[in-house]
Amino acid sequence: MEPVLFYGVPQGCSFGSVMALEWLGQPYRLCRIEMMEQPWDPLYAKVNSLFKTPALLLEDGEPLTESLAILQHLAARDLSTRLGFEQGSREHDRLNQMLAYLTTDFFAAFGPLWTLYDTQGMSGVEQELLRRLGREQVAEGCAYLDGLLAKREWLLGNARSMADAYVMGIARWAEYHRLFDLGSDYPNLARHLAKLRDDPAVRFAEAIERGEQPAGQGHFKGHVSLQELEPRLAA
């Protein structure tokens, strides 16, 4: 069977990995994980014992976790796409550096906001503290990315890379949490996200999140459930 990406909804950072699979253009399947339905199916522990998404089940049955590792793995499947680069090259180092920033600092900046989203029974003072902290941290990240994109067409320069797929899945959270007006405050980042939204891979990933059944570029071979994958996971 083709590789299977486990993606989380709603608003999962795995959005970028779905985009990446569409950009790569090789056959794959998806497995939907409803993150708000607790507890998760215990069978998922065989995929990722930390119960997080995304995860990629490889053809040999070995799971691969963490967005940075998954995106670099996908890029290496076909370096001619120029979504990633040969290990040891300066371009590979720059991509690693950008992905590391996005998957750590920028991702973590939204942590207080997701805590606010998930937690019940907090006082108004506690809620305001989390929102203010999250807004400050996200603003710092958006300002950094906005500065990079002031003179670049894409995050790494003149061509798209796996970093652009991942940033789409994360930066949209600023709009989701209604933190500020990206177009006014961070126009270069807003322009970049608007350009990405016109990409067929983004429209595909958005439709997938909504629970629709888009065809994509023709490489998506459909959804598969955890139960259907159980024999493969056992192996």
Side-chain angles (χ1 to χ4, degrees), residues 217-234:
Q217 301 299 301
H219 307 289
F220 171 51
K221 300 305 178 183
H223 279 84
V224 61
S225 69
L226 266 173
Q227 287 66 37
E228 291 173 303
L229 291 169
E230 186 169 9
R232 190 171 162 190
L233 295 174

Side-chain angles (χ1 to χ4, degrees), residues 68-108:
L68 191 155
I70 290 170
L71 293 170
Q72 286 284 28
H73 170 87
L74 293 176
R77 284 180 172 242
D78 185 359
L79 291 178
S80 69
T81 63
R82 302 296 290 172
L83 297 169
F85 310 96
E86 184 178 355
Q87 188 167 355
S89 67
R90 179 57 185 145
E91 292 85 357
H92 184 274
D93 290 343
R94 291 179 62 237
L95 176 58
N96 249 357
Q97 177 178 289
M98 179 57 66
L99 284 174
Y101 168 76
L102 293 173
T103 58
T104 55
D105 293 49
F106 195 48
F107 180 99

